[in-house]
Amino acid sequence: MKIAIYNGGNLLKTTKAAGLAAGKYYTVTTGPVRDKAEAIINGKSEMVEWVQLWAGGPKFAKQNVATKPNMNWTTAVKNEFWGGNWRVPTKDEMSGLIGSIGGGNSFTTNTVKVEYLQENNEFGFKFTGVQPGYTGNSIFLPTVGDKHTINDGGGVYWTSYQDEHSYGIALSLYYQKEVGLYTYFMNHNVVSDYSVVVRPVLNEK
């Protein structure tokens, strides 16, 4: 049987003309769900890993853009940090990481499982795919700014969206043991040096 996958009127993927053999189970994705792409970091070419966490979602880099001080929104959206293969994610792309405000140190949506934990001696937020074909993929967004602990931590990550009041919109992540884990969007002055960082996505446009 030949299978074609559409998102609305857009063809995402199709099997070969011969189709799939009967009597077997298949996991269907919209293409490769992990790989590497070139980034120009400090003038040198490096291969940076990326993963896709849900079907049709953005392909997130496995690391942040390393900057001190952190980039303001105006600088970030120029997309000059790693060369043409990478850019700041849109608000819609980052919205797949949003799911809950308060309650526990983890939650699960229809796209990801979110956990606050310690990984490689850093505290932060781990997002793992939950859809078939994506469950082996995850990104870790470390806490940002002041020192954090297993009981308290937060981080703010830019999107490319600017609201009607000319503020840059960022994804805010926060965990407090007494309250739980928060994920939500918040606005920031586009030229401030507030502790906002960038987790790039692969530029496929």
Side-chain angles (χ1 to χ4, degrees), residues 180-192:
L181 192 147
Y182 288 70
T183 61
Y184 54 95
F185 289 113
M186 64 188 303
N187 57 15
H188 294 286
N189 188 300
V190 297
V191 295
S192 72

Side-chain angles (χ1 to χ4, degrees), residues 120-141:
N120 297 325
N121 296 318
E122 285 190 289
F123 295 104
F125 304 83
K126 186 172 184 177
F127 296 81
T128 304
V130 297
Q131 297 175 0
Y134 299 85
T135 56
N137 292 349
S138 65
I139 58 173
F140 180 77
L141 302 185

Side-chain angles (χ1 to χ4, degrees), residues 54-69:
W54 62 88
K59 296 172 180 177
F60 287 99
K62 294 275 285 183
Q63 64 192 63
N64 289 345
V65 175
T67 57
K68 292 183 179 182

